[in-house]
């Protein structure tokens, strides 16, 4: 389940990157010009909105955190307009001012709520600004929880390696949103958020989700990164870990009007979640939902914690959690209709240990949703003998539901999960490495309709029985 945001926090976030002004001219377009076959727009409204890294900063404060924005701007009207709006929203601005340079401006002309043309006014700074920007960042790191690098590759973040190094030295988590630079230049970042094109540019095109996860894990290992969050447009987000496993966050089911600024919102959400100590997966789920809200609006926009929480409340309860069989069947059918790949595993999970956690993470990496079926107390006792289970069914399911790798948990009372397998028909049946493939109950049935059976790696020195024996011997 997507975690709710606190409406206000003491989290402090520094955003550094390229800022720009998104200018909108709105009007009616009811006729075609006699001079050329183009619409004539009678402009009635002119609106400026902070864009780029400034839009990230606006989203950070809207989500309830404190924010300082570091960037470089020209000494012009566009910069003053942007600064006024940021000040009014509560963003602290620390701008490097560059003489004889105009702040990047993107002009969009809209008629009948449709964008007719976009005009970009931009050029690189006439002088290097990286050292001055780094100095400004360093002034704020002592009081920061998280640093977001929003690099649009327009000259402000010419040396991302120095910024990452300064943050790591200060013990500040780093979220990097790259553009065209080699991702090696963000080495050491805790979260790196490329989009599909940016990821393919450095890692190559992938054939399926498992290949995407493998390539992402190799990239993280090479750049000494923490986690990748690859934005995939309508396919949602892919959270990739260094061990080569991944988890998909499905795109929100919304009517998309304008995708402008959605990536900025994801970066802001990941940064806010990081500052709150959330897992990357929890942050990705919240950020993905926030980005979906942005896509229902015209142009760059900030979404508030209250708006995000209302959207979370509207999510179907069956998206995640502990479900009885009928509700689980319906939830799996919905996920499959959206193109989701369903992975199934089962067990007693009496005393959850590192082996369980590792094996469930591996299982989740095989698809889009992981179902964990848990033996109820009576069936666990029949399988394990007197004195088992140590923990009752409710406790065991609650612990499993708290794992980021697990989507749904469901109980079953039969000695085997064959009835559940028949009802769900998962794409993948997974079991831990202490089983031989010939011993996996239900394997023949799953293969009969084209499903896959996977026996995962064995985690040494991880056994519930041995843990119980050690406790008894003490």
């Amino acid at each position: 389940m997507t975690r709710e945001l606190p409406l206000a926090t003491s989290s402090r976030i520094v955003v550094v990157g390229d800022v720009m002004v998104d200018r909108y001219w709105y009007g009616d377009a009811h006729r075609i010009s006699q001079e050329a076959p183009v619409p004539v727009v009678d402009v009635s409204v002119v609106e400026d909105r902070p864009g780029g890294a400034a839009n990230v900063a606006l989203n950070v404060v809207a989500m309830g955190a404190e924010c300082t924005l570091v960037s470089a701007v020209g000494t012009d009207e566009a910069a003053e307009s942007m600064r006024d709006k940021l000040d009014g929203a509560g963003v602290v601005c620390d701008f490097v001012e560059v003489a004889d340079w105009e702040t990047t401006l993107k002009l969009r002309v809209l008629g009948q709520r449709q964008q007719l043309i976009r005009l970009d006014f931009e050029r690189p700074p006439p002088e290097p600004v990286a050292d001055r920007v780094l100095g400004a960042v360093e002034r704020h790191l002592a009081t920061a929880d998280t640093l977001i690098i929003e690099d649009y590759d327009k000259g402000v973040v010419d040396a991302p390696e120095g910024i990452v190094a300064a943050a790591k030295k200060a013990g500040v988590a780093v979220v990097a949103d790259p553009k065209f630079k080699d991702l090696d230049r963000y080495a050491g970042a805790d979260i790196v958020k490329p989009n599909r094109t940016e990821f393919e540019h450095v890692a190559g095109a992938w054939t399926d989700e498992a290949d995407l996860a493998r390539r992402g894990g190799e990239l993280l290992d090479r750049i000494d990164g923490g986690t990748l969050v690859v934005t995939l447009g309508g396919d949602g987000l892919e959270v990739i870990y260094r061990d080569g496993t991944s988890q998909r966050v499905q795109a929100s089911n919304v009517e998309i009007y304008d995708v402008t600024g959605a990536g900025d919102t994801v970066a802001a959400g990941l940064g806010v979640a990081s500052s709150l100590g959330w897992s990357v997966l929890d942050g990705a789920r919240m950020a993905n939902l926030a980005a979906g809200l942005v896509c229902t609006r015209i142009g760059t926009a900030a979404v508030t914690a209250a708006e995000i929480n209302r959207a979370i409340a509207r999510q179907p309860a069956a998206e995640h959690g502990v479900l009885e069989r009928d509700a689980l069947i319906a939830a799996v059918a919905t996920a499959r209709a959206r193109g989701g790949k369903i992975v199934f595993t089962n067990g007693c999970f009496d005393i959850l240990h590192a082996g369980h956690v590792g094996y469930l993470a591996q299982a989740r990496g095989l698809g889009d949703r992981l179902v964990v079926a848990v033996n109820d107390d009576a069936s666990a006792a029949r399988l394990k003998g007197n004195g088992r289970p140590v923990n009752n069914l409710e406790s065991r399911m609650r612990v499993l539901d708290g794992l980021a790798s697990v989507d749904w948990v469901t109980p079953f009372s039969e000695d085997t999960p064959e009835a559940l397998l028949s009802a769900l028909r998962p794409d993948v049946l997974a079991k831990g490495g202490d089983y031989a493939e010939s011993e996996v109950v239900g394997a023949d049935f799953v293969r009969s309709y084209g499903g896959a059976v996977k026996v995962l790696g064995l985690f040494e020195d991880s056994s519930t029985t041995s843990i119980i024996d050690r406790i008894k011997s003490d």
Side-chain angles (χ1 to χ4, degrees):
M1 191 69 179
T2 306
R3 293 183 65 171
E4 289 192 357
L5 277 167
L7 296 182
T9 79
S10 58
S11 299
R12 296 177 297 272
I13 295 174
V14 175
V15 176
V16 58
D18 303 281
V19 298
M20 57 198 73
V21 173
D22 288 317
R23 180 164 291 170
Y24 296 86
W25 289 356
Y26 301 95
D28 293 326
H30 295 306
R31 58 194 174 95
I32 301 299
S33 171
Q34 295 180 351
E35 302 167 359
V38 295
V40 175
V41 179
D42 294 321
V43 176
S44 56
V45 176
V46 176
E47 180 184 10
D48 283 356
R49 300 184 191 177
N55 186 41
V56 175
L58 284 177
N59 274 275
V60 165
V61 295
M63 292 178 190
E66 298 176 14
C67 184
T68 298
L69 173 62
V70 177
S71 188
V73 296
T75 54
D76 55 7
E77 174 270 334
E80 287 305 309
S81 170
M82 178 167 53
R83 189 193 297 271
D84 287 345
K85 287 180 169 55
L86 291 167
D87 287 344
V91 176
V92 177
C93 298
D94 190 352
F95 289 161
V96 172
E97 294 189 349
V98 181
D100 300 320
W101 184 49
E102 294 183 352
T103 306
T104 297
L105 187 146
K106 298 179 181 296
L107 171 62
R108 297 169 175 89
V109 181
L110 295 91
Q112 273 67 48
R113 294 180 60 85
Q114 301 229 351
Q115 187 175 143
L116 303 178
I117 191 171
R118 190 181 98 176
L119 306 172
D120 290 1
F121 303 87
E122 61 178 302
R123 60 186 178 91
E127 61 187 70
V129 296
D131 288 345
R132 295 169 66 190
V133 167
L134 175 58
V137 169
E138 289 175 330
R139 287 196 295 271
H140 302 288
L141 288 176
T143 57
D145 298 304
T146 299
L147 171 72
I148 302 174
I149 302 175
E150 188 64 28
D151 186 1
Y152 273 84
D153 205 35
K154 298 186 183 302
V156 171
V157 188
D158 268 355
E161 4 349 48
I163 295 174
V164 174
K168 302 311 289 183
K169 182 178 180 181
V172 175
V174 177
V175 176
D177 188 3
K179 205 63 175 176
F180 303 114
K181 295 184 179 70
D182 193 322
L183 295 187
D184 292 74
R185 301 191 63 185
Y186 308 91
D190 297 274
I191 301 173
V192 182
K193 189 204 77 65
N195 62 26
R196 186 194 301 266
T197 301
E198 291 153 0
F199 180 82
E200 287 184 343
H201 178 71
V202 295
W206 61 89
T207 56
D208 54 28
E209 193 168 351
D211 187 34
L212 168 61
R214 179 186 62 79
R215 292 171 185 267
E218 292 173 351
L219 174 61
L220 285 169
D221 194 51
R222 190 180 83 225
I223 69 173
D224 191 28
T227 309
L228 278 171
V229 178
V230 183
T231 57
L232 302 171
D235 292 327
L237 310 175
E238 191 80 10
V239 180
I240 305 175
Y241 305 100
R242 197 158 170 173
D243 64 0
T245 61
S246 70
Q247 293 171 284
R248 175 65 60 88
V249 178
Q250 298 293 337
S252 300
N253 186 21
V254 297
E255 183 176 350
I256 296 176
Y257 186 80
D258 187 348
V259 299
T260 303
D264 299 340
T265 304
V266 172
L270 291 171
V272 170
S274 171
S275 72
L276 293 170
W278 290 11
S279 71
V280 178
L281 181 61
D282 280 339
R285 284 172 174 159
M286 181 272 290
N288 177 67
L289 191 63
L293 293 174
V294 165
C295 289
T296 66
R297 305 171 183 181
I298 297 175
T300 53
V303 289
T304 66
E307 289 173 316
I308 294 168
N309 290 343
R310 284 196 294 271
I312 291 170
R314 291 193 297 268
Q315 285 185 307
E319 285 290 327
H320 304 279
V322 177
L323 302 180
E324 293 299 325
R325 190 165 302 189
D326 288 345
L328 176 63
I329 291 170
V332 167
T334 299
R336 183 170 279 128
R338 296 174 181 170
K341 185 178 181 180
I342 309 301
V343 183
F344 179 99
T345 192
N346 64 280
C348 294
F349 302 98
D350 193 2
I351 298 177
L352 201 69
H353 51 67
H356 289 136
V357 175
Y359 133 67
L360 291 172
Q362 285 187 352
R364 182 58 171 77
L366 298 173
D368 302 306
R369 296 298 187 98
L370 175 61
V371 177
V372 180
V374 184
N375 291 88
D376 71 4
D377 292 343
S379 64
R382 291 194 297 271
L383 288 169
K384 300 296 184 179
N386 291 334
R388 301 286 299 276
V390 174
N391 294 301
N392 63 30
L393 175 64
E394 182 179 355
S395 296
R396 290 181 283 133
M397 292 197 300
R398 187 184 303 123
V399 171
L400 286 164
D401 185 43
L403 295 179
S405 57
V406 175
D407 292 286
W408 294 299
V409 182
T410 194
F412 69 101
S413 57
E414 302 91 343
D415 287 344
T416 75
E418 289 174 295
L420 257 177
L421 289 170
S422 178
L424 298 176
R425 298 174 71 87
D427 301 286
V428 181
L429 170 59
K431 289 294 285 185
D434 51 347
Y435 284 81
E437 193 163 319
S438 60
E439 299 174 325
V440 178
V441 175
D444 289 340
F445 171 74
V446 172
R447 292 194 195 97
S448 73
Y449 58 78
V453 178
K454 299 288 185 181
V455 173
L456 304 176
L458 180 64
F459 290 78
E460 298 295 335
D461 299 321
S462 295
S463 162
T464 300
T465 302
S466 64
I467 291 171
I468 293 172
D469 289 342
R470 287 199 299 272
I471 293 171
K472 288 179 177 179
S473 67
D474 291 342

